Amino acid sequence: ALIKAVLFDYDGVLVDSLELNHIGTCAVLRAAGLKEITFQEFCEQYEAPYTKFYADLGIKDTREQIKSWYLKEVLKYPDPPLMEDVEMVLTTLADAGLTLGIVSTHSYNHLIRQLEKNLLFGFFRSIVGDQEIKTGAISSFCRLFNFQPKEVLFVGDLPSDIRDGNTAGVTTVFFKGKFSVPARYPADYRIKTLTEILAILEQRRTSV
């Protein structure tokens, strides 16, 4: 199918925030009186839903308590920088007439604030935050804009992103970035830079 839309996860895809996510996770572990995990361990284990991820580490506190410990720490730091080539890739996709959206676990209000600050807000027709399991939001995006699932490319950097995209039936892209996050689920494509999305779209266009 010809790709008509691109849906992005936010953290680790549009912004370089995985190290900050690790800092927040260590703060949660400290607050719960548990041992911190290394960045490597974090990359290998981190997956949504986060209550299960934290429960596996021995934390039995509520989602609200975990979130409050996490945010208290990460909000001390500057906003994470944009990933390389984000503006160029988004501009090229928008100019090509694709519908762009975000489905993120990130808090909706923080998401909007960061997108506006980075002048990216206007690229997106749909922005959905607070989604630990993304399948429903991905399917809603397809229905909202009347796309067949396979016409939508979903770009995520965590195994759970690919799991949820596969469940929703969209075309999945695993963005490995610079960290060795394991690919636990089969993705349609695997990329190391965001510019590779443009090559995927060109390839799909010429092979239709």
Side-chain angles (χ1 to χ4, degrees), residues 184-197:
R184 290 197 196 101
Y185 305 95
D188 294 297
Y189 298 95
R190 293 173 69 171
I191 62 174
K192 279 196 82 78
T193 65
L194 288 177
T195 48
E196 289 172 70
I197 295 169

Side-chain angles (χ1 to χ4, degrees), residues 30-66:
R30 280 198 308 276
L34 295 170
K35 183 171 161 284
E36 294 178 25
I37 56 174
T38 66
F39 184 63
Q40 186 60 43
E41 289 168 333
F42 171 76
C43 284
E44 286 165 6
Q45 296 168 31
Y46 196 50
E47 191 172 54
Y50 300 119
T51 34
K52 182 185 183 308
F53 164 73
Y54 284 115
D56 290 347
L57 291 172
I59 295 179
K60 300 294 185 272
D61 295 87
T62 64
R63 185 172 182 272
E64 285 62 40
Q65 178 61 74
I66 290 168

Side-chain angles (χ1 to χ4, degrees), residues 6 8 88-100 197-198 201:
V6 183
F8 294 91
M88 185 274 283
V89 169
L90 293 177
T91 301
T92 307
L93 294 174
D95 287 350
L98 286 114
T99 301
L100 306 181
I197 295 169
L198 306 178
L201 293 172

Side-chain angles (χ1 to χ4, degrees), residues 22-208:
H22 172 242
I23 288 168
T25 297
C26 286
V28 172
L29 288 165
R30 280 198 308 276
L34 295 170
K35 183 171 161 284
E36 294 178 25
I37 56 174
T38 66
F39 184 63
Q40 186 60 43
E41 289 168 333
F42 171 76
C43 284
E44 286 165 6
Q45 296 168 31
Y46 196 50
E47 191 172 54
Y50 300 119
T51 34
K52 182 185 183 308
F53 164 73
Y54 284 115
D56 290 347
L57 291 172
I59 295 179
K60 300 294 185 272
D61 295 87
T62 64
R63 185 172 182 272
E64 285 62 40
Q65 178 61 74
I66 290 168
K67 196 171 178 179
S68 116
W69 284 333
Y70 181 90
L71 288 176
K72 186 177 173 201
E73 183 66 25
V74 298
L75 292 176
K76 295 176 188 170
Y77 291 80
D79 289 336
L82 290 178
M83 282 290 185
E84 206 176 329
D85 298 320
V86 165
E87 297 105 318
M88 185 274 283
V89 169
L90 293 177
T91 301
T92 307
L93 294 174
D95 287 350
L98 286 114
T99 301
L100 306 181
I102 290 176
V103 176
S104 174
T105 50
H106 206 89
S107 139
Y108 179 76
N109 293 336
H110 294 171
L111 201 54
I112 299 299
R113 179 182 62 76
Q114 289 186 18
L115 288 167
E116 286 180 336
K117 183 180 129 189
N118 288 318
L119 306 179
L120 299 183
F121 180 77
F123 284 110
F124 300 100
R125 297 275 306 281
S126 168
I127 298 167
V128 182
D130 304 295
Q131 301 295 308
E132 287 201 17
I133 303 290
K134 297 175 180 169
T135 310
I138 295 169
S139 297
S140 295
F141 176 86
C142 296
R143 286 195 302 273
L144 179 65
F145 296 103
N146 212 13
F147 294 127
Q148 293 300 315
K150 283 297 174 198
E151 296 174 334
V152 176
L153 208 62
F154 176 54
V155 187
D157 69 315
L158 290 181
S160 45
D161 293 327
I162 302 308
R163 176 197 69 206
D164 296 349
N166 287 344
T167 305
V170 293
T171 303
T172 48
V173 179
F174 186 53
F175 177 53
K176 283 188 75 68
K178 59 189 180 183
F179 304 113
S180 52
V181 176
R184 290 197 196 101
Y185 305 95
D188 294 297
Y189 298 95
R190 293 173 69 171
I191 62 174
K192 279 196 82 78
T193 65
L194 288 177
T195 48
E196 289 172 70
I197 295 169
L198 306 178
I200 291 170
L201 293 172
E202 184 57 29
Q203 178 197 331
R204 296 288 287 246
R205 199 175 61 76
T206 51
S207 65
V208 168

